C-alpha cells in the first residue's frame, strides 16, 4: 500500500469532520435549551417539554430508517446536499411562533434532516478512510461528535443565560449554513454498484432498510446507549439531589477530555489488535463509571465517574461503528452506518422515556447501579457474539 493510499488526514476527511462537528453542536446546543424554550414561550407542561426534546431524536431515527436506504440509490453526494438544505430550511422554522404543536413539528422535521445528513457524512467518511486505518479513522471522525457533546451544552447554557432564544436560533442557522458551505469543498467518492443492484432495489425487504450483518453489534449499541441516556438526561437532576450542581456543570467536559486523550490510542489499537482489545476494557470502564456515579458523594468521585464513562462509552461509539462498516461490502456501508445510528438514536431517544418510569421506583442512585449491571450483562452478550464471529471466520479459512 502506498503512502497516498494510507494517508488519513486528507482535506476531505478534515472538512467532513468539521462539518459534522457543527451539525452535532447544533443538536446538543438545542437539546439543553428547547425544553426551557417550550415552557417559557408556550407554557408547556413538563411532559410536553420533554417531548419537544425527545421528538427530535425520534425524527432522526425515522430519517435514518426510511431515508438512509436512499443513499444506495441516489448516492452519497445527493443525500448529503438534500439533507443539508433540509437541515437549513427546518432551522429557519424555529423563527415561526406557531405554538407548541408547530414547534413539535419543527423539531421532528429538523431531526429527520439530521438523520439524512449524519448518515451521509458517516458513509462518506467511511469510504474516504483507508481500509488499513478504518478503526483509527472512524475514531478520529467520531471525536467531532464527542467535542459537540461538551461544547454544545456549554454554548446552550451560556446563550440561554445571556441571549434571547431568537439569537440562539440565529446562531444555529449560521452554523448550519457554514456546514453546508464546507461540504461543497469535499470531493465525495462514488461507490460502484454491484451487477444485481437494480433487481435488489425492486424487492423491498428488511435488508432494504437495515443491514443484517450490522445487527449483532447494533444490538450491543442499543443497550449501551440506553445506559448512557441515563447519564445524558438525568445527571443534572441527580446532581441537585446530591448537592453537586457545580461539579455536574463540567461533567461532560471531563467526559469529552477523557475521550480526546484516549481516542488516538484506541483507534490504532483496534486496527492492530482487533475490536475486542478495545471493547472488553471499554465495557469494564463504562460499568465501573456507572457504579461509581451511583455512589458519588463529592466532586472528585463524580468527575472520576465522568472520566471512566468517557473512556468506556466514548470509545465504544467509534469502535462499534467501525465494526458495523467493516462487516459489509463497500456498496452496503451506507446501510451499515444507518443501522448503527438507528440503534444509537433508539437508545438515546427512547431511553429517557423508558427510564423515566423507573426513577420513581428506584431513585437516581439505584438507577445508575442498574445501568451498570445492564452494561455488564451486555458485555456477556458482546463476548459470545465475538466468539461466534471468530469461529465463523476460522471455518471459512
Amino acid at each position: 500500500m502506498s503512502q497516498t493510499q494510507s494517508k488519513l488526514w486528507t482535506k476531505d476527511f478534515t472538512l467532513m469532520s468539521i462539518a459534522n462537528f457543527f451539525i452535532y453542536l447544533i443538536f446538543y446546543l438545542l437539546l439543553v435549551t428547547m425544553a426551557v424554550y417550550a415552557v417559557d414561550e408556550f407554557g408547556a407542561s413538563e411532559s410536553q417539554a420533554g417531548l419537544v426534546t425527545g421528538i427530535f431524536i425520534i425524527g432522526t431515527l425515522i430519517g435514518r430508517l426510511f431515508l438512509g436506504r436512499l443513499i444506495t440509490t441516489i448516492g452519497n453526494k445527493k443525500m448529503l446536499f438534500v439533507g443539508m438544505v433540509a437541515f437549513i430550511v427546518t432551522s429557519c422554522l424555529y423563527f415561526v411562533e406557531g405554538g407548541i404543536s408547530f414547534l413539535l413539528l419543527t423539531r421532528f422535521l429538523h431531526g429527520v434532516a439530521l438523520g439524512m445528513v449524519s448518515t451521509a457524512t458517516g458513509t462518506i467518511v467511511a469510504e474516504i478512510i483507508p481500509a488499513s486505518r478504518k478503526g483509527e479513522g472512524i475514531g478520529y471522525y467520531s471525536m467531532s461528535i464527542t467535542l459537540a457533546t461538551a461544547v454544545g451544552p456549554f454554548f446552550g447554557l451560556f446563550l440561554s443565560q445571556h441571549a434571547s432564544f431568537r439569537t440562539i436560533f440565529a446562531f444555529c442557522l449560521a452554523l448550519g449554513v457554514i456546514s453546508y458551505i464546507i461540504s461543497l469543498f469535499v470531493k465525495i467518492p462514488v461507490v460502484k454498484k454491484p451487477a444485481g443492484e437494480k433487481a435488489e432495489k425492486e424487492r423491498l425487504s428488511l435488508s432494504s432498510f437495515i443491514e443484517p450483518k450490522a445487527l449483532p453489534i447494533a444490538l450491543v449499541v442499543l443497550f449501551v446507549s440506553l445506559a448512557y441516556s441515563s447519564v445524558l438526561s438525568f445527571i443534572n437532576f441527580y446532581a441537585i439531589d446530591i448537592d453537586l450542581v457545580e461539579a455536574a456543570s463540567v461533567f461532560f467536559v471531563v467526559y469529552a477530555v477523557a475521550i480526546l486523550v484516549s481516542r488516538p490510542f484506541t483507534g490504532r489499537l483496534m486496527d492492530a489488535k482487533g475490536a475486542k482489545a478495545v471493547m472488553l476494557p471499554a465495557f469494564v470502564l463504562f460499568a465501573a463509571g456507572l457504579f461509581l456515579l451511583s455512589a458519588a458523594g463529592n466532586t472528585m468521585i463524580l468527575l472520576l465517574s465522568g472520566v471512566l464513562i468517557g473512556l468506556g462509552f466514548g470509545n465504544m461509539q467509534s469502535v462499534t461503528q467501525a465494526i458495523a462498516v467493516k462487516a459489509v461490502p463497500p456498496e452496503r456501508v451506507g446501510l451499515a452506518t444507518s443501522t448503527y445510528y438507528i440503534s444509537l438514536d433508539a437508545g438515546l431517544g427512547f431511553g429517557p422515556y423508558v427510564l423515566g418510569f423507573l426513577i420513581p421506583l428506584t431513585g437516581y442512585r439505584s438507577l445508575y447501579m442498574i445501568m451498570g449491571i445492564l452494561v455488564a450483562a451486555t458485555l456477556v452478550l458482546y463476548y459470545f457474539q465475538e466468539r461466534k464471529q471468530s469461529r465463523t471466520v476460522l471455518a471459512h479459512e
Side-chain angles (χ1 to χ4, degrees):
M1 181 173 292
S2 68
Q3 187 176 359
T4 301
Q5 287 176 314
S6 62
K7 185 177 180 182
L8 178 58
W9 288 100
T10 61
K11 177 198 70 146
D12 295 331
F13 177 82
T14 303
L15 290 179
M16 206 77 270
S17 298
I18 293 172
N20 192 62
F21 166 71
F22 286 137
I23 290 295
Y24 272 92
L25 192 153
I26 295 169
F27 165 51
Y28 285 104
L29 190 158
L30 292 178
L31 191 68
V32 300
T33 56
M34 290 311 301
V36 177
Y37 174 68
V39 172
D40 289 356
E41 297 296 320
F42 303 110
S45 64
E46 289 184 0
S47 60
Q48 286 176 322
L51 186 58
V52 166
T53 299
I55 200 170
F56 184 97
I57 301 177
I58 295 171
T60 303
L61 177 62
I62 291 175
R64 295 191 202 283
L65 184 60
F66 293 102
L67 299 177
R69 65 180 297 269
L70 294 179
I71 201 166
T72 60
T73 56
I74 69 173
N76 301 336
K77 188 172 184 178
K78 286 183 180 178
M79 174 67 86
L80 177 62
F81 292 146
V82 170
M84 283 286 191
V85 170
F87 193 81
I88 292 170
V89 170
T90 50
S91 295
C92 295
L93 296 179
Y94 287 109
F95 294 97
V96 180
E97 296 184 3
I100 191 69
S101 297
F102 186 80
L103 179 61
L104 286 169
L105 177 62
T106 298
R107 291 288 289 163
F108 175 78
L109 294 177
H110 202 194
V112 171
L114 176 70
M116 295 177 66
V117 172
S118 56
T119 297
T121 55
T123 303
I124 291 167
V125 164
E127 291 164 354
I128 290 173
I129 298 170
S132 63
R133 303 182 69 180
K134 193 73 75 178
E136 182 185 2
I138 290 178
Y140 280 122
Y141 169 74
S142 61
M143 281 169 61
S144 62
I145 302 176
T146 302
L147 282 172
T149 64
V151 178
F154 173 79
F155 272 121
L157 294 173
F158 179 82
L159 290 173
S160 64
Q161 294 171 5
H162 300 91
S164 67
F165 285 108
R166 292 185 73 85
T167 301
I168 293 174
F169 299 147
F171 180 66
C172 292
L173 177 59
L175 291 178
V177 172
I178 291 171
S179 297
Y180 175 71
I181 293 172
I182 289 173
S183 67
L184 295 175
F185 293 93
V186 177
K187 184 179 180 181
I188 299 173
V190 178
V191 177
K192 293 182 180 179
K193 299 175 185 177
E197 183 73 14
K198 184 175 181 181
E200 173 109 11
K201 283 190 282 185
E202 292 173 355
R203 296 193 309 270
L204 282 181
S205 62
L206 180 62
S207 62
S208 301
F209 300 92
I210 298 292
E211 174 49 57
K213 292 181 179 178
L215 279 178
I217 196 63
L219 184 61
V220 170
V221 172
L222 175 66
F223 289 135
V224 296
S225 60
L226 187 150
Y228 180 65
S229 75
S230 67
V231 180
L232 191 63
S233 301
F234 301 118
I235 185 68
N236 286 332
F237 296 103
Y238 179 48
I240 292 171
D241 267 8
I242 61 176
D243 196 25
L244 290 175
V245 176
E246 289 186 11
S249 66
V250 294
F251 180 91
F252 290 106
V253 175
V254 172
Y255 165 88
V257 169
I259 301 174
L260 291 174
V261 171
S262 63
R263 188 66 58 81
F265 305 103
T266 55
R268 287 196 292 269
L269 181 61
M270 176 184 174
D271 288 329
K273 301 291 185 180
K276 185 169 68 172
V278 179
M279 286 293 288
L280 295 182
F283 269 111
V284 173
L285 290 166
F286 187 17
L290 289 167
F291 289 138
L292 195 62
L293 182 60
S294 72
N298 57 58
T299 298
M300 181 177 294
I301 297 298
L302 184 73
L303 296 185
L304 180 58
S305 72
V307 171
L308 295 179
I309 292 171
L311 294 174
F313 179 74
N315 283 297
M316 281 183 185
Q317 284 181 279
S318 63
V319 175
T320 50
Q321 185 180 354
I323 293 172
V325 300
K326 278 188 169 185
V328 300
E331 68 275 5
R332 301 284 293 184
V333 166
L335 276 179
T337 302
S338 178
T339 302
Y340 162 81
Y341 278 114
I342 284 170
S343 294
L344 184 67
D345 290 342
L348 295 178
F350 293 107
Y353 178 74
V354 174
L355 298 178
F357 291 102
L358 189 61
I359 290 171
L361 303 175
T362 64
Y364 294 110
R365 287 192 184 278
S366 296
L367 171 69
Y368 291 123
M369 181 70 71
I370 293 169
M371 291 300 99
I373 295 171
L374 174 62
V375 171
T378 308
L379 167 58
V380 177
L381 172 65
Y382 169 78
Y383 177 75
F384 283 108
Q385 278 187 3
E386 201 277 336
R387 283 190 64 183
K388 182 179 179 181
Q389 184 181 16
S390 298
R391 288 173 180 173
T392 302
V393 171
L394 288 173
H396 284 85
E397 289 181 349

